[in-house]
Amino acid sequence: KAHQASKIFLEAASQAPDRQRRRLEMRSAANLMISGSIRDGMVLLQKVLDELKLSYPRSAAAALPSLHAQRTQLKERGTEFSLSSGPSDPDLLERIDIFWMAAIGLGAVDYVRAAEFHVRSLLMSLDSGDAYRIARSLAMESINAAARAPFQMGRAETLSAAANVLAQQIDH
């Protein structure tokens, strides 16, 4: 079904304005990777990232320095946030969503690059103040925290609880 969905997203993208087209192409790319069409999904992912002049690590090894730097930034910054009272910058929200979909698509095939895109999405979400994007990023971070250090479940549980509170606030 994911492969069928990718075709539907691409068909819809062909008739959409640029921002919507990129979002649909990213959904297609994620579905392609999830369905096993990894090369096609990565090509489409690269196309969208190139269009927006966003970096794409060429390999898991190439992603490690950026992942380490962003994890360090997250550790120093923390996961505190202030919710935005008004609409957020649409360009920022687009980048957050693109990084999110890249993380979802790559999660099944390249954990290191997926983690790198996830941290980018998380940091930008926290800074954006957008409740929906913060909630989903904190939820994913709770899963990653539990997977990285199962003996330290406290952080994972705290992140999960914060995501749940936000999700309830926005009725999602």
Side-chain angles (χ1 to χ4, degrees):
K1 300 236 180 210
H3 194 77
Q4 288 174 305
S6 72
K7 289 179 182 180
I8 293 168
F9 285 130
L10 268 183
E11 185 178 319
S14 70
Q15 302 169 2
D18 285 345
R19 189 180 310 276
Q20 181 73 15
R21 175 187 48 79
R22 287 188 295 267
R23 182 166 289 152
L24 291 165
E25 287 174 343
M26 283 303 298
R27 285 182 161 215
S28 179
N31 278 283
L32 284 166
M33 287 184 270
I34 289 168
S35 71
S37 296
I38 299 163
R39 183 176 303 282
D40 291 342
M42 291 177 116
V43 166
L44 191 51
L45 166 63
Q46 180 71 55
K47 174 189 173 282
V48 173
L49 292 172
D50 284 349
E51 183 178 338
L52 292 173
K53 297 178 178 37
L54 300 171
S55 64
Y56 178 70
R58 298 292 180 199
S59 67
L64 284 172
S66 174
L67 176 59
H68 176 71
Q70 290 177 70
R71 283 261 155 228
T72 300
Q73 182 182 352
L74 180 61
K75 185 175 183 179
E76 292 169 357
R77 183 205 183 284
T79 56
E80 295 77 28
F81 58 87
S82 296
L83 294 180
S84 173
S85 58
S88 296
D89 172 19
D91 292 335
L92 173 63
L93 297 181
E94 181 180 26
R95 288 190 307 275
I96 292 169
D97 292 343
I98 284 173
F99 292 151
W100 171 261
M101 286 183 265
I104 296 300
L106 287 166
V109 297
D110 186 336
Y111 180 74
V112 174
R113 282 193 277 189
E116 196 266 349
F117 279 111
H118 163 67
V119 177
R120 282 199 241 180
S121 179
L122 173 60
L123 288 166
M124 293 172 81
S125 294
L126 292 168
D127 290 341
S128 78
D130 184 87
Y132 171 75
R133 287 165 178 87
I134 293 168
R136 76 177 181 194
S137 291
L138 288 175
M140 179 65 78
E141 183 64 11
S142 74
I143 294 166
N144 290 339
R148 277 193 319 275
F151 53 89
Q152 295 179 341
M153 291 301 291
R155 180 170 185 268
E157 290 169 348
T158 298
L159 291 165
S160 179
N164 190 39
V165 166
L166 271 178
Q168 288 177 3
Q169 286 177 1
I170 59 174
D171 199 29
H172 198 43

mmCIF file of all heavy atoms in Angstrom, residues 44-83:
data_model
loop_
_atom_site.group_PDB
_atom_site.id
_atom_site.type_symbol
_atom_site.label_atom_id
_atom_site.label_comp_id
_atom_site.label_asym_id
_atom_site.label_seq_id
_atom_site.Cartn_x
_atom_site.Cartn_y
_atom_site.Cartn_z
ATOM 1 N N LEU A 44 14.267 10.952 -5.000
ATOM 2 C CA LEU A 44 13.228 11.971 -4.846
ATOM 3 C C LEU A 44 13.519 12.859 -3.637
ATOM 4 O O LEU A 44 13.364 14.086 -3.695
ATOM 5 C CB LEU A 44 11.861 11.300 -4.728
ATOM 6 C CG LEU A 44 10.628 12.186 -4.826
ATOM 7 C CD1 LEU A 44 10.654 13.086 -6.056
ATOM 8 C CD2 LEU A 44 9.377 11.310 -4.819
ATOM 9 N N LEU A 45 13.952 12.262 -2.540
ATOM 10 C CA LEU A 45 14.350 13.022 -1.348
ATOM 11 C C LEU A 45 15.449 14.019 -1.714
ATOM 12 O O LEU A 45 15.371 15.206 -1.378
ATOM 13 C CB LEU A 45 14.822 12.071 -0.253
ATOM 14 C CG LEU A 45 15.571 12.663 0.933
ATOM 15 C CD1 LEU A 45 14.695 13.627 1.719
ATOM 16 C CD2 LEU A 45 16.079 11.548 1.839
ATOM 17 N N GLN A 46 16.476 13.540 -2.411
ATOM 18 C CA GLN A 46 17.594 14.397 -2.814
ATOM 19 C C GLN A 46 17.111 15.550 -3.696
ATOM 20 O O GLN A 46 17.555 16.686 -3.539
ATOM 21 C CB GLN A 46 18.642 13.577 -3.560
ATOM 22 C CG GLN A 46 19.849 14.379 -4.013
ATOM 23 C CD GLN A 46 20.719 14.793 -2.870
ATOM 24 O OE1 GLN A 46 21.158 13.959 -2.096
ATOM 25 N NE2 GLN A 46 20.981 16.084 -2.735
ATOM 26 N N LYS A 47 16.173 15.283 -4.589
ATOM 27 C CA LYS A 47 15.638 16.311 -5.489
ATOM 28 C C LYS A 47 15.006 17.445 -4.688
ATOM 29 O O LYS A 47 15.263 18.624 -4.935
ATOM 30 C CB LYS A 47 14.613 15.688 -6.434
ATOM 31 C CG LYS A 47 13.875 16.674 -7.317
ATOM 32 C CD LYS A 47 12.730 15.974 -8.063
ATOM 33 C CE LYS A 47 11.867 16.916 -8.821
ATOM 34 N NZ LYS A 47 10.914 17.659 -8.012
ATOM 35 N N VAL A 48 14.167 17.092 -3.724
ATOM 36 C CA VAL A 48 13.482 18.118 -2.931
ATOM 37 C C VAL A 48 14.487 18.887 -2.081
ATOM 38 O O VAL A 48 14.435 20.121 -2.011
ATOM 39 C CB VAL A 48 12.379 17.489 -2.051
ATOM 40 C CG1 VAL A 48 11.784 18.522 -1.101
ATOM 41 C CG2 VAL A 48 11.289 16.873 -2.926
ATOM 42 N N LEU A 49 15.414 18.191 -1.452
ATOM 43 C CA LEU A 49 16.411 18.872 -0.628
ATOM 44 C C LEU A 49 17.271 19.808 -1.469
ATOM 45 O O LEU A 49 17.565 20.937 -1.052
ATOM 46 C CB LEU A 49 17.285 17.851 0.102
ATOM 47 C CG LEU A 49 16.573 17.036 1.186
ATOM 48 C CD1 LEU A 49 17.485 15.927 1.692
ATOM 49 C CD2 LEU A 49 16.112 17.916 2.331
ATOM 50 N N ASP A 50 17.676 19.350 -2.656
ATOM 51 C CA ASP A 50 18.477 20.201 -3.546
ATOM 52 C C ASP A 50 17.703 21.452 -3.949
ATOM 53 O O ASP A 50 18.259 22.547 -3.983
ATOM 54 C CB ASP A 50 18.889 19.433 -4.807
ATOM 55 C CG ASP A 50 20.006 18.438 -4.569
ATOM 56 O OD1 ASP A 50 20.627 18.468 -3.483
ATOM 57 O OD2 ASP A 50 20.249 17.606 -5.474
ATOM 58 N N GLU A 51 16.425 21.285 -4.248
ATOM 59 C CA GLU A 51 15.606 22.427 -4.659
ATOM 60 C C GLU A 51 15.586 23.507 -3.586
ATOM 61 O O GLU A 51 15.611 24.697 -3.885
ATOM 62 C CB GLU A 51 14.184 21.955 -4.962
ATOM 63 C CG GLU A 51 13.277 23.055 -5.457
ATOM 64 C CD GLU A 51 11.881 22.564 -5.800
ATOM 65 O OE1 GLU A 51 11.693 21.359 -6.062
ATOM 66 O OE2 GLU A 51 10.971 23.408 -5.801
ATOM 67 N N LEU A 52 15.565 23.094 -2.335
ATOM 68 C CA LEU A 52 15.526 24.048 -1.221
ATOM 69 C C LEU A 52 16.912 24.378 -0.668
ATOM 70 O O LEU A 52 17.035 25.067 0.342
ATOM 71 C CB LEU A 52 14.629 23.505 -0.105
ATOM 72 C CG LEU A 52 13.152 23.428 -0.470
ATOM 73 C CD1 LEU A 52 12.365 22.722 0.624
ATOM 74 C CD2 LEU A 52 12.586 24.812 -0.731
ATOM 75 N N LYS A 53 17.938 23.843 -1.325
ATOM 76 C CA LYS A 53 19.329 24.071 -0.897
ATOM 77 C C LYS A 53 19.562 23.607 0.545
ATOM 78 O O LYS A 53 20.220 24.267 1.338
ATOM 79 C CB LYS A 53 19.719 25.525 -1.092
ATOM 80 C CG LYS A 53 19.692 25.956 -2.555
ATOM 81 C CD LYS A 53 20.025 27.413 -2.714
ATOM 82 C CE LYS A 53 20.054 27.893 -4.140
ATOM 83 N NZ LYS A 53 19.130 27.407 -5.092
ATOM 84 N N LEU A 54 18.990 22.433 0.861
ATOM 85 C CA LEU A 54 19.162 21.820 2.175
ATOM 86 C C LEU A 54 20.141 20.665 2.039
ATOM 87 O O LEU A 54 20.098 19.919 1.061
ATOM 88 C CB LEU A 54 17.810 21.319 2.713
ATOM 89 C CG LEU A 54 16.744 22.395 2.896
ATOM 90 C CD1 LEU A 54 15.393 21.771 3.216
ATOM 91 C CD2 LEU A 54 17.158 23.373 3.979
ATOM 92 N N SER A 55 21.003 20.513 3.012
ATOM 93 C CA SER A 55 22.052 19.501 2.908
ATOM 94 C C SER A 55 21.490 18.091 3.085
ATOM 95 O O SER A 55 20.498 17.876 3.782
ATOM 96 C CB SER A 55 23.149 19.758 3.940
ATOM 97 O OG SER A 55 22.640 19.618 5.249
ATOM 98 N N TYR A 56 22.171 17.166 2.431
ATOM 99 C CA TYR A 56 21.824 15.746 2.494
ATOM 100 C C TYR A 56 23.113 14.964 2.650
ATOM 101 O O TYR A 56 23.939 14.946 1.731
ATOM 102 C CB TYR A 56 21.104 15.336 1.208
ATOM 103 C CG TYR A 56 20.739 13.870 1.155
ATOM 104 C CD1 TYR A 56 19.746 13.353 1.970
ATOM 105 C CD2 TYR A 56 21.386 13.009 0.281
ATOM 106 C CE1 TYR A 56 19.400 12.011 1.928
ATOM 107 C CE2 TYR A 56 21.040 11.670 0.212
ATOM 108 C CZ TYR A 56 20.043 11.177 1.031
ATOM 109 O OH TYR A 56 19.707 9.851 0.986
ATOM 110 N N PRO A 57 23.319 14.345 3.809
ATOM 111 C CA PRO A 57 24.544 13.566 3.986
ATOM 112 C C PRO A 57 24.589 12.421 2.974
ATOM 113 O O PRO A 57 23.615 11.698 2.793
ATOM 114 C CB PRO A 57 24.434 13.023 5.410
ATOM 115 C CG PRO A 57 23.250 13.675 6.031
ATOM 116 C CD PRO A 57 22.436 14.298 4.955
ATOM 117 N N ARG A 58 25.697 12.264 2.297
ATOM 118 C CA ARG A 58 25.835 11.262 1.230
ATOM 119 C C ARG A 58 25.900 9.831 1.750
ATOM 120 O O ARG A 58 25.697 8.892 0.998
ATOM 121 C CB ARG A 58 27.073 11.549 0.382
ATOM 122 C CG ARG A 58 27.016 12.881 -0.317
ATOM 123 C CD ARG A 58 25.951 12.868 -1.377
ATOM 124 N NE ARG A 58 25.909 14.171 -2.049
ATOM 125 C CZ ARG A 58 24.892 14.590 -2.734
ATOM 126 N NH1 ARG A 58 23.824 13.857 -2.861
ATOM 127 N NH2 ARG A 58 24.915 15.770 -3.301
ATOM 128 N N SER A 59 26.175 9.681 3.037
ATOM 129 C CA SER A 59 26.234 8.337 3.630
ATOM 130 C C SER A 59 25.998 8.464 5.127
ATOM 131 O O SER A 59 26.025 9.564 5.684
ATOM 132 C CB SER A 59 27.614 7.711 3.371
ATOM 133 O OG SER A 59 28.602 8.423 4.094
ATOM 134 N N ALA A 60 25.808 7.319 5.756
ATOM 135 C CA ALA A 60 25.653 7.324 7.215
ATOM 136 C C ALA A 60 26.909 7.878 7.874
ATOM 137 O O ALA A 60 26.827 8.672 8.817
ATOM 138 C CB ALA A 60 25.342 5.919 7.715
ATOM 139 N N ALA A 61 28.065 7.487 7.367
ATOM 140 C CA ALA A 61 29.324 7.981 7.939
ATOM 141 C C ALA A 61 29.436 9.495 7.791
ATOM 142 O O ALA A 61 29.892 10.185 8.706
ATOM 143 C CB ALA A 61 30.512 7.288 7.271
ATOM 144 N N ALA A 62 28.988 10.015 6.656
ATOM 145 C CA ALA A 62 29.045 11.462 6.441
ATOM 146 C C ALA A 62 28.067 12.203 7.349
ATOM 147 O O ALA A 62 28.261 13.382 7.641
ATOM 148 C CB ALA A 62 28.757 11.781 4.980
ATOM 149 N N ALA A 63 27.014 11.530 7.790
ATOM 150 C CA ALA A 63 26.020 12.161 8.662
ATOM 151 C C ALA A 63 26.468 12.220 10.121
ATOM 152 O O ALA A 63 25.929 13.014 10.897
ATOM 153 C CB ALA A 63 24.698 11.405 8.566
ATOM 154 N N LEU A 64 27.413 11.393 10.496
ATOM 155 C CA LEU A 64 27.801 11.301 11.915
ATOM 156 C C LEU A 64 28.289 12.618 12.522
ATOM 157 O O LEU A 64 27.858 12.964 13.629
ATOM 158 C CB LEU A 64 28.834 10.193 12.110
ATOM 159 C CG LEU A 64 28.270 8.776 12.066
ATOM 160 C CD1 LEU A 64 29.402 7.746 12.076
ATOM 161 C CD2 LEU A 64 27.304 8.533 13.213
ATOM 162 N N PRO A 65 29.183 13.388 11.859
ATOM 163 C CA PRO A 65 29.610 14.651 12.480
ATOM 164 C C PRO A 65 28.447 15.614 12.715
ATOM 165 O O PRO A 65 28.345 16.238 13.770
ATOM 166 C CB PRO A 65 30.621 15.228 11.483
ATOM 167 C CG PRO A 65 31.117 14.049 10.712
ATOM 168 C CD PRO A 65 29.946 13.104 10.632
ATOM 169 N N SER A 66 27.556 15.731 11.736
ATOM 170 C CA SER A 66 26.396 16.607 11.894
ATOM 171 C C SER A 66 25.473 16.089 12.992
ATOM 172 O O SER A 66 24.967 16.869 13.805
ATOM 173 C CB SER A 66 25.640 16.708 10.567
ATOM 174 O OG SER A 66 24.455 17.444 10.740
ATOM 175 N N LEU A 67 25.244 14.785 13.010
ATOM 176 C CA LEU A 67 24.390 14.192 14.045
ATOM 177 C C LEU A 67 24.970 14.474 15.427
ATOM 178 O O LEU A 67 24.248 14.883 16.340
ATOM 179 C CB LEU A 67 24.235 12.689 13.811
ATOM 180 C CG LEU A 67 23.441 11.927 14.872
ATOM 181 C CD1 LEU A 67 22.024 12.467 15.010
ATOM 182 C CD2 LEU A 67 23.424 10.435 14.522
ATOM 183 N N HIS A 68 26.271 14.286 15.574
ATOM 184 C CA HIS A 68 26.916 14.545 16.871
ATOM 185 C C HIS A 68 26.777 16.025 17.257
ATOM 186 O O HIS A 68 26.438 16.344 18.409
ATOM 187 C CB HIS A 68 28.385 14.137 16.816
ATOM 188 C CG HIS A 68 29.125 14.457 18.065
ATOM 189 N ND1 HIS A 68 28.913 13.769 19.249
ATOM 190 C CD2 HIS A 68 30.042 15.409 18.345
ATOM 191 C CE1 HIS A 68 29.686 14.285 20.196
ATOM 192 N NE2 HIS A 68 30.374 15.280 19.664
ATOM 193 N N ALA A 69 27.025 16.925 16.304
ATOM 194 C CA ALA A 69 26.930 18.360 16.596
ATOM 195 C C ALA A 69 25.508 18.746 16.986
ATOM 196 O O ALA A 69 25.307 19.517 17.941
ATOM 197 C CB ALA A 69 27.379 19.166 15.381
ATOM 198 N N GLN A 70 24.529 18.204 16.284
ATOM 199 C CA GLN A 70 23.144 18.544 16.601
ATOM 200 C C GLN A 70 22.692 17.923 17.918
ATOM 201 O O GLN A 70 21.920 18.527 18.662
ATOM 202 C CB GLN A 70 22.234 18.121 15.445
ATOM 203 C CG GLN A 70 22.460 19.013 14.234
ATOM 204 C CD GLN A 70 21.647 18.595 13.064
ATOM 205 O OE1 GLN A 70 20.430 18.757 13.084
ATOM 206 N NE2 GLN A 70 22.299 18.061 12.049
ATOM 207 N N ARG A 71 23.153 16.724 18.213
ATOM 208 C CA ARG A 71 22.836 16.102 19.508
ATOM 209 C C ARG A 71 23.446 16.932 20.636
ATOM 210 O O ARG A 71 22.829 17.116 21.691
ATOM 211 C CB ARG A 71 23.358 14.661 19.569
ATOM 212 C CG ARG A 71 22.498 13.717 18.809
ATOM 213 C CD ARG A 71 21.568 12.989 19.784
ATOM 214 N NE ARG A 71 20.408 12.554 19.065
ATOM 215 C CZ ARG A 71 19.159 12.732 19.452
ATOM 216 N NH1 ARG A 71 18.888 13.314 20.581
ATOM 217 N NH2 ARG A 71 18.151 12.315 18.749
ATOM 218 N N THR A 72 24.650 17.433 20.418
ATOM 219 C CA THR A 72 25.297 18.300 21.407
ATOM 220 C C THR A 72 24.487 19.587 21.571
ATOM 221 O O THR A 72 24.234 20.033 22.697
ATOM 222 C CB THR A 72 26.744 18.618 20.986
ATOM 223 O OG1 THR A 72 27.470 17.388 20.882
ATOM 224 C CG2 THR A 72 27.420 19.544 21.974
ATOM 225 N N GLN A 73 24.057 20.161 20.456
ATOM 226 C CA GLN A 73 23.235 21.372 20.513
ATOM 227 C C GLN A 73 21.943 21.104 21.268
ATOM 228 O O GLN A 73 21.521 21.923 22.104
ATOM 229 C CB GLN A 73 22.933 21.856 19.094
ATOM 230 C CG GLN A 73 22.122 23.134 19.053
ATOM 231 C CD GLN A 73 21.797 23.562 17.623
ATOM 232 O OE1 GLN A 73 22.284 23.005 16.656
ATOM 233 N NE2 GLN A 73 20.945 24.558 17.506
ATOM 234 N N LEU A 74 21.315 19.963 21.009
ATOM 235 C CA LEU A 74 20.074 19.624 21.711
ATOM 236 C C LEU A 74 20.323 19.447 23.201
ATOM 237 O O LEU A 74 19.538 19.916 24.034
ATOM 238 C CB LEU A 74 19.463 18.353 21.113
ATOM 239 C CG LEU A 74 18.163 17.878 21.758
ATOM 240 C CD1 LEU A 74 17.064 18.924 21.622
ATOM 241 C CD2 LEU A 74 17.737 16.550 21.147
ATOM 242 N N LYS A 75 21.417 18.801 23.545
ATOM 243 C CA LYS A 75 21.736 18.599 24.963
ATOM 244 C C LYS A 75 21.937 19.942 25.664
ATOM 245 O O LYS A 75 21.447 20.144 26.772
ATOM 246 C CB LYS A 75 22.993 17.733 25.099
ATOM 247 C CG LYS A 75 23.327 17.367 26.513
ATOM 248 C CD LYS A 75 24.505 16.423 26.581
ATOM 249 C CE LYS A 75 24.776 16.022 28.015
ATOM 250 N NZ LYS A 75 25.880 15.087 28.128
ATOM 251 N N GLU A 76 22.637 20.859 25.003
ATOM 252 C CA GLU A 76 22.875 22.179 25.581
ATOM 253 C C GLU A 76 21.598 23.017 25.612
ATOM 254 O O GLU A 76 21.339 23.731 26.569
ATOM 255 C CB GLU A 76 23.957 22.920 24.795
ATOM 256 C CG GLU A 76 25.328 22.297 24.948
ATOM 257 C CD GLU A 76 26.362 22.849 23.983
ATOM 258 O OE1 GLU A 76 26.016 23.702 23.125
ATOM 259 O OE2 GLU A 76 27.519 22.404 24.063
ATOM 260 N N ARG A 77 20.798 22.922 24.568
ATOM 261 C CA ARG A 77 19.580 23.709 24.453
ATOM 262 C C ARG A 77 18.475 23.180 25.345
ATOM 263 O O ARG A 77 17.725 23.924 25.945
ATOM 264 C CB ARG A 77 19.097 23.702 22.996
ATOM 265 C CG ARG A 77 17.867 24.546 22.768
ATOM 266 C CD ARG A 77 17.082 24.043 21.555
ATOM 267 N NE ARG A 77 15.936 24.890 21.287
ATOM 268 C CZ ARG A 77 14.816 24.862 21.998
ATOM 269 N NH1 ARG A 77 14.677 24.048 23.025
ATOM 270 N NH2 ARG A 77 13.794 25.658 21.703
ATOM 271 N N GLY A 78 18.362 21.859 25.407
ATOM 272 C CA GLY A 78 17.262 21.235 26.124
ATOM 273 C C GLY A 78 16.030 21.165 25.245
ATOM 274 O O GLY A 78 16.035 21.602 24.092
ATOM 275 N N THR A 79 14.972 20.631 25.782
ATOM 276 C CA THR A 79 13.740 20.471 25.005
ATOM 277 C C THR A 79 12.652 21.450 25.445
ATOM 278 O O THR A 79 11.479 21.242 25.160
ATOM 279 C CB THR A 79 13.218 19.023 25.104
ATOM 280 O OG1 THR A 79 13.049 18.682 26.487
ATOM 281 C CG2 THR A 79 14.163 18.044 24.433
ATOM 282 N N GLU A 80 13.056 22.523 26.097
ATOM 283 C CA GLU A 80 12.090 23.536 26.499
ATOM 284 C C GLU A 80 11.584 24.267 25.259
ATOM 285 O O GLU A 80 12.292 24.382 24.261
ATOM 286 C CB GLU A 80 12.717 24.551 27.471
ATOM 287 C CG GLU A 80 13.132 23.971 28.800
ATOM 288 C CD GLU A 80 14.446 23.182 28.707
ATOM 289 O OE1 GLU A 80 15.279 23.487 27.825
ATOM 290 O OE2 GLU A 80 14.614 22.252 29.501
ATOM 291 N N PHE A 81 10.381 24.776 25.358
ATOM 292 C CA PHE A 81 9.795 25.500 24.232
ATOM 293 C C PHE A 81 8.746 26.454 24.749
ATOM 294 O O PHE A 81 8.245 26.320 25.866
ATOM 295 C CB PHE A 81 9.165 24.524 23.225
ATOM 296 C CG PHE A 81 8.106 23.649 23.832
ATOM 297 C CD1 PHE A 81 6.783 24.069 23.899
ATOM 298 C CD2 PHE A 81 8.436 22.410 24.369
ATOM 299 C CE1 PHE A 81 5.812 23.265 24.474
ATOM 300 C CE2 PHE A 81 7.470 21.598 24.947
ATOM 301 C CZ PHE A 81 6.161 22.028 25.000
ATOM 302 N N SER A 82 8.423 27.423 23.910
ATOM 303 C CA SER A 82 7.302 28.328 24.147
ATOM 304 C C SER A 82 6.393 28.210 22.941
ATOM 305 O O SER A 82 6.856 28.301 21.802
ATOM 306 C CB SER A 82 7.780 29.776 24.265
ATOM 307 O OG SER A 82 8.614 29.925 25.387
ATOM 308 N N LEU A 83 5.117 27.999 23.192
ATOM 309 C CA LEU A 83 4.182 27.861 22.085
ATOM 310 C C LEU A 83 3.947 29.214 21.426
ATOM 311 O O LEU A 83 3.845 30.236 22.101
ATOM 312 C CB LEU A 83 2.856 27.276 22.570
ATOM 313 C CG LEU A 83 2.927 25.832 23.079
ATOM 314 C CD1 LEU A 83 1.550 25.367 23.529
ATOM 315 C CD2 LEU A 83 3.486 24.905 22.007
#
